[in-house]
Every structure is written in structure tokens, then in C-alpha cells.
Amino acid sequence: MKVLLVGSGGREHALAWALAKSPLLTKLYCAPGNAGIAQVAECVPIAATDFAGLAKFAVETRIDFAVIAADAQLVGGLWDVLETAGIRALGPSKGAAVLEGSKGFVKDLCIEVGIPTAAYKRFTDPAPAKIFADSLGYPVVIKADGLAAGKGVIIAGDKAESEKAINFMFEGGFGDSGHAIVVEEFMEGEEASFFALSDGTNVIPLAGAQDHKRVGDGDIGPNTGGMGAYSPAPVLTPALEQVAMERFIKPTVAAMAARGLPYIGVLYLGLMITKNGPKLVEYNARFGDPECQVLMPRLKSDLLATLVAARDENLSPLEWHDEVALTVVMASKGYPGSYEKGHVITGLDVAAQLPGVTIFHAGTQTHGNDIVATGGRVLNVTAVGKDVAEARDRAYAAVALIHWEGAFCRRDIGWRALNR
Ligand code: AMP
């Protein structure tokens, strides 16, 4: 099969790496890709936002299957564009991606099918939103309804912060995605991610993971796209995973099918494990980044065959390695704020030789014979091991061999799992 993967981050490198191992694959293309992806795929210079260009390339190249990895493409309807052009692809469709594209839709669905989640109300005007937020008490959570590049959630500590956040959203601070908002109760607990794959009717569990969102050790400082992750996550016990499937994911997939919006694709369930049990934080319509980078090394089954089976509505259960996978994100100085680009990265080859280590590229480009850092998050230094401690030690041994000017990473990835 000729396969087209769309995207250019660490998640896409992990997917490309897993797809490249498939005996079904004859040729892998990635648009636009990065320097790491270029080691396993042919990168084509088409932006992930250029839906018409992607469809044209897929048709002309006779692509047999396309994999769309990112929220903006899924919510924007790239699946629909490709399928209309006759290209089979793993979605979800634009309609079903509403599970990521509208937080208010998801909250209403939770009430309809009895999924536990934080108390909330939806608003299209600031004044009643402020009154409701005040009635919930503080901290309170203010969410832009639509996609906001991962930044659409504000946790307001007091009335002034809450009113400021509500004004900011309605004044277009997050563009169109903030013209409707959700105001919800703050939930206390430990967060965990659980992934499943649905063919529209049947849904199978993938695996659990936990990530580290804050930039600094000890989970302090600004939020990021994620500074590291590991899988499995000990907080997600087998009993909790069963609850995730039976109480959350299966009723959601059934409700989507009943609405005529069959959900076909990867479903990410963000859970808060509260003292009153697990509650839904959010759904994503795709693999997480960097969670995908710790799921792929643990997957024993053929990823390509699996994704095609989901698209063709005949999924069967998967096999996983027992090992733990852990990834450390190496970022450029300044991230998640503005950062420098273009510094040459050294040590990649030696680091990749260490036992159990795989390095996924997130923000890199090839310049002549050099690989240079071009993103905020640059590398996902990933290792497998018999337990979290071994995976962590292997990943940090590799990190120690990699250098570029201004590189930094968190030093405590896996701490929650290790403290248990
Ligand atoms: P979301 O985009 O909905 O996942 O929100 C981003 C982050 O905000 C989550 O990963 C949580 O850490 C936090 N968050 C969202 N909703 C709540 C809530 N109701 N209570 C506490 N934290 C929340």
C-alpha cells in the first residue's frame, strides 16, 4: 500500500516509524514531515493546511490510504476532502470530529448519555457567564468552545480573573473559537489519558498514558504542548481502564452513531481521577502528542493494518508489549514562549544506539549535512524498559548525549508513576 501521512511533529514521526514497519507498506509519504520523518518516509513539501494540494497529490500518486494526525486537519474536514477525492483515510470525519471541535457539544453529550463530568453551562453572552462562574465558586474553569491551539482553557483563581477570562474570550482573544464558551466546575485530582480506536460501531482499547503539561520540574510554570509522557500509566488500573471503556467511550461511540455521525478513528479520553471517581475532562479526535510517542513503541500489532481495519469497519483487538515506554521532550530555550531557531543538533546518532532508545523528531529540518532545531519542542527522546525507572534512565542517558545551543528538558519525567 502507498500511504500518505499528514503532519510534521513528534506524533507524526512516531506514526511514520510504526507505519514503516508494516509488511503491507510499499511506500510511505509524509506531508510536510521533518528531518526525522525523512529517515522513514519520503517528505513532500505540501503544508498540512493545504487540503486541495494534499488531495491532488494523493490522487496523482495513487495513494491507497491516508492518515490524518492533527486536530486542525480533522476538525477542518480533511478526511471529507480526501474521501470525496476517492482516497481512503483514517478520520474521523469533520462531523464526528465535533468531539474535539466543540467542548459544549461534548458536555451536552455527557449529560445525555450519563457520562460523569464537571458541572457546567454553555454561554454566548458574557454577563450570564460571569454570574454562573461566580455561583460555582473559585477556582472556576472557562473554556472557549472551539479549537484554540491547545490554549482555550483558563483556570481562574478568583472573580477578577474569571471576568477577565470571559471578557477576553468574547472579545475574540481566541478568535472565533471563543464566541461560545463553557463555564465549568474545577475538578481536583490526577489526570490521565486513555486511547481507544473506533470503527464507528466497534471500539477497542489502545492504551493509557500520562503526560507532563507544565514546562518546569515539579509541574510548575506555563502550560506547554507536553514535556514528556509514559505508558502505561499506573494510575489507570485495569479496573479504571474498563470503566473508561464501558462508562465513557462505548456510550460516546454509540451516541455518535445514533446521531448519524459515526466516529471512525482514534479517540482520546482525558480523565480526572477525582475522589468521587473518574470524570471526563475532554475528548480529542486523535492521538495525543507526546502520548503517541510512548504508545507506538509498545504496539506489537501492525499499525497500518489496524488503521485500515478501523476505516473499513472490521476492527479486532490488538497486541501490546509489556514494556513501559517513556519520552522526554527536548525543547529550545524560551519555549513555550518565543525561542531561537536554526541551531545545529549533535549527538543524535550515538544517542540512538543506546539500548531501548528511539528518537522521534518534533521540530527539526535538514540543512546540508546538519540537522537543525526549528521548533519549540524539538525532539522526543523515547526509551522502553522493564519498568518506568529503567525506561527513564535509558531516555535520560540518551538526552545526555544530545546537544544544541539553548536545549533544555524537564528532569523529572515519570515522577508520579515512580512515587506510587
Ligand atoms: P482541556 O483542553 O479541556 O483538556 O483542558 C486543558 C487542561 O485544563 C486539562 O488538561 C486540565 O489540566 C485542565 N482542566 C480542564 N478542565 C478542568 C476542570 N474542570 N477542572 C480542573 N482542570 C481542568
Short mmCIF file of all heavy atoms in Angstrom, two decimals, residues 188-192 210 230 235 271-274 416-417 420:
data_model
loop_
_atom_site.label_atom_id
_atom_site.label_comp_id
_atom_site.label_asym_id
_atom_site.label_seq_id
_atom_site.Cartn_x
_atom_site.Cartn_y
_atom_site.Cartn_z
N GLU A 188 -10.70 18.47 41.13
CA GLU A 188 -9.40 18.19 41.72
C GLU A 188 -9.08 16.71 41.56
O GLU A 188 -9.96 15.87 41.76
CB GLU A 188 -9.42 18.54 43.20
CG GLU A 188 -8.32 19.50 43.53
CD GLU A 188 -8.53 20.17 44.87
OE1 GLU A 188 -9.59 20.82 45.06
OE2 GLU A 188 -7.64 20.01 45.69
N GLY A 189 -7.84 16.40 41.23
CA GLY A 189 -7.46 15.00 41.10
C GLY A 189 -6.24 14.85 40.22
O GLY A 189 -5.57 15.82 39.89
N GLU A 190 -5.97 13.58 39.84
CA GLU A 190 -4.84 13.29 38.97
C GLU A 190 -5.37 13.05 37.57
O GLU A 190 -6.38 12.36 37.39
CB GLU A 190 -4.11 12.05 39.50
CG GLU A 190 -2.80 11.77 38.80
CD GLU A 190 -1.97 10.66 39.49
OE1 GLU A 190 -2.19 10.39 40.70
OE2 GLU A 190 -1.13 10.07 38.80
N GLU A 191 -4.70 13.62 36.57
CA GLU A 191 -5.17 13.46 35.19
C GLU A 191 -4.52 12.26 34.53
O GLU A 191 -3.35 11.96 34.79
CB GLU A 191 -4.82 14.70 34.37
CG GLU A 191 -5.74 15.86 34.62
CD GLU A 191 -5.47 17.00 33.66
OE1 GLU A 191 -5.93 16.95 32.50
OE2 GLU A 191 -4.78 17.95 34.08
N ALA A 192 -5.24 11.61 33.65
CA ALA A 192 -4.67 10.52 32.86
C ALA A 192 -5.37 10.50 31.51
O ALA A 192 -6.50 10.98 31.36
CB ALA A 192 -4.86 9.19 33.56
N GLN A 210 0.24 9.00 30.60
CA GLN A 210 0.17 10.23 31.40
C GLN A 210 1.21 11.19 30.84
O GLN A 210 2.30 10.75 30.47
CB GLN A 210 0.47 9.92 32.87
CG GLN A 210 -0.51 10.56 33.81
CD GLN A 210 -0.42 10.07 35.23
OE1 GLN A 210 0.36 9.18 35.56
NE2 GLN A 210 -1.21 10.66 36.10
N TYR A 230 4.55 8.90 29.60
CA TYR A 230 4.88 7.48 29.73
C TYR A 230 3.61 6.66 29.59
O TYR A 230 2.50 7.15 29.80
CB TYR A 230 5.59 7.17 31.05
CG TYR A 230 4.92 7.78 32.25
CD1 TYR A 230 3.97 7.08 32.98
CD2 TYR A 230 5.20 9.08 32.62
CE1 TYR A 230 3.33 7.66 34.06
CE2 TYR A 230 4.57 9.67 33.69
CZ TYR A 230 3.63 8.96 34.41
OH TYR A 230 2.99 9.54 35.46
N VAL A 235 -1.71 4.95 37.32
CA VAL A 235 -2.96 5.47 37.88
C VAL A 235 -4.17 4.83 37.18
O VAL A 235 -5.24 4.67 37.78
CB VAL A 235 -3.01 7.01 37.82
CG1 VAL A 235 -3.09 7.52 36.38
CG2 VAL A 235 -4.18 7.57 38.62
N LEU A 271 -9.11 12.12 31.37
CA LEU A 271 -9.85 11.85 32.60
C LEU A 271 -9.23 12.59 33.77
O LEU A 271 -8.02 12.76 33.84
CB LEU A 271 -9.79 10.36 32.94
CG LEU A 271 -10.68 9.40 32.18
CD1 LEU A 271 -10.37 7.97 32.62
CD2 LEU A 271 -12.15 9.72 32.39
N MET A 272 -10.10 13.02 34.70
CA MET A 272 -9.61 13.48 36.01
C MET A 272 -10.04 12.41 37.01
O MET A 272 -11.24 12.10 37.11
CB MET A 272 -10.25 14.83 36.36
CG MET A 272 -9.69 15.46 37.60
SD MET A 272 -8.02 16.13 37.35
CE MET A 272 -8.39 17.68 36.52
N ILE A 273 -9.06 11.83 37.71
CA ILE A 273 -9.39 10.81 38.71
C ILE A 273 -9.66 11.56 40.02
O ILE A 273 -8.72 11.92 40.74
CB ILE A 273 -8.23 9.80 38.89
CG1 ILE A 273 -7.60 9.39 37.54
CG2 ILE A 273 -8.70 8.59 39.70
CD1 ILE A 273 -8.50 8.64 36.61
N THR A 274 -10.92 11.83 40.28
CA THR A 274 -11.28 12.62 41.47
C THR A 274 -11.60 11.66 42.62
O THR A 274 -11.72 10.46 42.43
CB THR A 274 -12.53 13.49 41.21
OG1 THR A 274 -13.68 12.64 41.19
CG2 THR A 274 -12.43 14.25 39.89
N ARG A 416 5.32 10.93 38.88
CA ARG A 416 4.09 10.43 39.52
C ARG A 416 4.08 8.90 39.58
O ARG A 416 3.71 8.30 40.59
CB ARG A 416 2.85 10.87 38.74
CG ARG A 416 2.43 12.28 39.01
CD ARG A 416 1.16 12.61 38.22
NE ARG A 416 0.95 14.03 38.20
CZ ARG A 416 0.38 14.72 39.19
NH1 ARG A 416 -0.05 14.10 40.27
NH2 ARG A 416 0.24 16.03 39.09
N ALA A 417 4.47 8.28 38.47
CA ALA A 417 4.49 6.82 38.42
C ALA A 417 5.53 6.26 39.39
O ALA A 417 5.30 5.26 40.07
CB ALA A 417 4.79 6.36 37.00
N ARG A 420 4.48 6.26 43.17
CA ARG A 420 3.32 5.45 43.60
C ARG A 420 3.72 4.26 44.45
O ARG A 420 4.73 3.64 44.21
CB ARG A 420 2.52 4.97 42.40
CG ARG A 420 1.70 6.07 41.79
CD ARG A 420 0.92 5.54 40.62
NE ARG A 420 -0.32 4.94 41.06
CZ ARG A 420 -1.44 5.63 41.31
NH1 ARG A 420 -1.47 6.92 41.13
NH2 ARG A 420 -2.52 5.01 41.72
#
